Amino acid sequence: MTDELSPGIVAQHGLSAEEYALAKGIMGRAPNLLELGIFSVMWSEHCSYKSSKRWLKTLPTGGPRVIQGPGENAGAIDIGDGQAAIFKIESHNHPSFIEPYQGAATGVGGILRDVFTMGARPIANLNALRFGAPEHEKTRHLLAGAVQGIGGYGNCVGVPTVGGEVNFHPSYNGNILVNAMTVGLARTDRIFYAKAAGIGNPVVYVGSKTGRDGIHGATMASAQFGEDAEAQRPTVQVGDPFVEKLLIEACLELMATDAIEAIQDMGAAGLTSSSFEMASKGGCGVELWLDRVPMRETGMTPYELMLSESQERMLMILHPGREEAARDIFAKWDLDFAVIGKLTEGGRMKLVWHGETVGELPIDPLAAAAPEYDRPWTETPPAPALSAGQIAELDPAEALTALMGSPDLCSRRWIWEQYDHMVMADTLQRPGGDAAVVRVHGSRKALAMAVDCTPRYVKADPLQGGRQAVAESYRNLCAVGAEPIAITDNLNFGNPERPEIMGQLVGAIEGIGEAAEALAYPVVSGNVSLYNETNGKAILPTPIIGGVGLLADHARMARIAVGPGQSLVLLGTTAGHLGQSLYLRECCGLEAGPPPPVDLAAERRNGGLVRNLIEEGLILACHDLADGGLAVAAAEMALAGKTGITLDSPDRGLSLAAWLFGEDQGRYLVACNRPQRLIERASAAGVAARQVGRTGGTALILPGGGTISLESLSERHEGWLPGYMDGGPGGRTGTS
């Protein structure tokens, strides 16, 4: 009979009294400390999704190109010619706040493993980063560490980091976000899954040795921070990208044989989650011989071995008789290989230490039947409409200059130049455009990819904000000429036990689902990161969307750079919406009003037109309109092409501020040689269109007489981030 564990020990493991009682009921006795640790990580929010599961089930996950939706290591889509794109995004938020370099680096390593576990060679990394206010004492340190960690790991492992986004807001002062995405390529007939099968088949451990780093990392990721965040530093894992590179090559070499029945990366909760999840999917049991696990530290216990989150490790089920051939491959790559168990009948996990059974648990109740909560939630109240007095009519040239040099819109060159975005020699569009584009080697095809979210919209209206995140991802892919195929999501929110936070999550998921359905843009993988708050202060709700699309011929790809002598046409309806706009925040000092509404039918119609026009060669440059509206889009196109732009006056009834800086959705600014032909095509497709300017010269000329030289605009745009990282001032750069 196992001794009853104290309430204090149970609480330290993150289980409520009710969950502990449920665990005892499942076991038919009190669990021992090892078994309690296993319940703790498997039932953590990070591993079980117990607060979000019922809402995630509402998302559309299927489609004609979907090979694998949620539930595996990553999602898989068919891109033709017997090839699949495999991709996923995951968070490493809490570890990156505690130790930014290793937290971000191991986030990259973990998502790479999720992708190559399925038989894909990784071809691209992206990231979505959120930091606190620039003036906050920790922001500079956290930004520098996270960027160096992402670059250090991705560069060393030899996978290009091709895109991402970075934003700043005081809500992230105590809880930054590091979301990492990887895209890989596989053959459709060589995709590997995590479903264990074959009673008696060997369970094999490969990769690095196990240490004590990362123990209870999944539990830490499922709790909010307090004043003692620094004390959790030992739970942050330490990565080695050179070992990861060896592991990629060894796994792909073994995958070219018929040795593997199932394979799973040891990510959150390490050996526990990988073994339980594989066995649960296959409906079988497992016996693990823990004393055979390769260890890099002396005196390790079964508890530490099961809960360690040491990096660069995989768990495999091999076909019988293939052990020695597999061992030879991993020996060639100088990696550990050990048979540490076997599959059994009966659906139970038996843990053995030097011949003695030290733990025995039923598998399905932990892996597939964790508690599922229908948490109380309250709807976010509508934001009051803006009054005329809240919108200052500032000099357009001064306002645009301030916006282009603000923390959220300044050039990210300081960041992406630390990333090797050209390794593998297939990157066709580098960071700085609407979407990254990576060639499918040896073909005319290319994959486009982007990550997007506008958290201030989600905070003001979770439903519209969720829709907008998906729609902006869709637009970014369309703007380079790609057919949007599917998305992965990373839902970053505060404490779901607070009804207002749970309401944000529910509303955002509903919006994401509506947009994914309307745009035929299904969700094939993802991650949920909750409890992102410190001392009761939650982050802005941040549901990051990672989108992947296909270009049939990369020669037809569009870019944002304009050239001289071109006409500019604005596609989509302009109403001049300034609620929650960056103009309002950066230039007027307000975060107020409702976000712009998202017309999903218009998004699909407008995106389809843009793709057709790019395919036909009628569009010379294209940029979707997002933060900062028309003026910012024009400025970015002018700077990219080193060519001036003159913008026309607004439609009657629109103020200059609304015309230039409104953030109405579903719009594209395109450059062409035959504007009337373009407008006629748009009219026939039911898409609003008007000529709004022309290119040429060396300045940006705004309606009302404001002129900004490209040289001065570039200095302001390029200068803020390097200056800040060199010790310059942070804060808002507005004109009010």
Side-chain angles (χ1 to χ4, degrees), residues 462-551:
L463 177 69
Q464 291 293 344
R467 285 178 162 189
Q468 191 272 343
V470 176
E472 186 174 351
S473 164
Y474 187 87
R475 286 198 303 275
N476 279 326
L477 301 183
C478 290
V480 299
E483 173 198 358
I485 295 178
I487 62 176
T488 181
D489 59 20
N490 206 145
L491 309 180
N492 306 274
F493 290 80
N495 183 350
E497 296 168 50
R498 295 165 56 192
E500 67 275 18
I501 300 295
M502 192 66 208
Q504 293 173 352
L505 178 63
V506 171
I509 291 174
E510 185 179 351
I512 290 168
E514 288 181 1
E517 188 72 47
L519 299 174
Y521 197 31
V523 183
V524 298
S525 61
N527 174 248
V528 180
S529 175
L530 304 179
Y531 297 95
N532 288 291
E533 55 183 70
T534 299
N535 297 327
K537 295 180 180 178
I539 62 165
L540 290 179
T542 312
I544 300 289
I545 300 297
V548 174
L550 178 66
L551 283 135

Side-chain angles (χ1 to χ4, degrees), residues 306-582:
M306 287 301 291
L307 300 186
S308 169
E309 294 184 7
S310 294
Q311 297 294 287
E312 292 89 39
R313 302 179 302 158
M314 312 285 276
L315 197 65
M316 299 178 177
I317 310 299
L318 297 186
H319 293 132
R322 302 312 307 269
E323 296 94 327
E324 290 311 309
R327 188 189 302 274
D328 289 345
I329 289 173
F330 282 87
K332 182 182 83 169
W333 292 100
D334 199 23
L335 294 167
D336 276 286
F337 177 101
V339 177
I340 64 165
K342 63 180 181 180
L343 297 185
T344 61
E345 295 179 335
R348 296 183 69 81
M349 176 71 66
K350 184 177 181 181
L351 304 174
V352 179
W353 180 248
H354 296 289
E356 178 187 349
T357 299
V358 292
E360 189 167 356
L361 307 95
I363 287 172
D364 277 348
L366 277 90
E372 182 176 327
Y373 294 126
D374 184 5
R375 296 202 185 275
W377 59 278
T378 57
E379 194 168 334
T380 301
L386 292 175
S387 65
Q390 291 178 288
I391 305 171
E393 280 289 337
L394 303 171
D395 176 86
E398 290 183 11
L400 179 58
T401 302
L403 283 170
M404 293 296 288
S406 69
D408 273 13
L409 284 177
C410 70
S411 169
R412 271 59 176 136
R413 185 183 303 275
W414 179 89
I415 294 172
W416 58 258
E417 283 190 341
Q418 297 184 54
Y419 304 151
D420 188 341
H421 47 273
M422 296 304 294
V423 65
M424 300 176 77
D426 285 321
T427 305
L428 300 178
Q429 281 220 37
R430 308 179 185 188
D434 282 320
V437 180
V438 178
R439 173 175 47 206
V440 176
H441 202 73
S443 77
R444 302 293 298 173
K445 296 185 299 189
L447 293 175
M449 53 202 77
V451 288
D452 293 286
C453 182
T454 311
R456 63 185 187 275
Y457 290 178
V458 188
K459 175 74 180 296
D461 185 333
L463 177 69
Q464 291 293 344
R467 285 178 162 189
Q468 191 272 343
V470 176
E472 186 174 351
S473 164
Y474 187 87
R475 286 198 303 275
N476 279 326
L477 301 183
C478 290
V480 299
E483 173 198 358
I485 295 178
I487 62 176
T488 181
D489 59 20
N490 206 145
L491 309 180
N492 306 274
F493 290 80
N495 183 350
E497 296 168 50
R498 295 165 56 192
E500 67 275 18
I501 300 295
M502 192 66 208
Q504 293 173 352
L505 178 63
V506 171
I509 291 174
E510 185 179 351
I512 290 168
E514 288 181 1
E517 188 72 47
L519 299 174
Y521 197 31
V523 183
V524 298
S525 61
N527 174 248
V528 180
S529 175
L530 304 179
Y531 297 95
N532 288 291
E533 55 183 70
T534 299
N535 297 327
K537 295 180 180 178
I539 62 165
L540 290 179
T542 312
I544 300 289
I545 300 297
V548 174
L550 178 66
L551 283 135
D553 183 353
H554 56 71
R556 297 289 188 179
M557 175 182 67
R559 301 178 186 270
I560 71 169
V562 296
Q566 297 170 354
S567 297
L568 294 177
V569 173
L570 179 60
L571 299 172
T573 302
T574 298
H577 188 100
L578 287 169
Q580 296 298 329
S581 65
L582 279 188

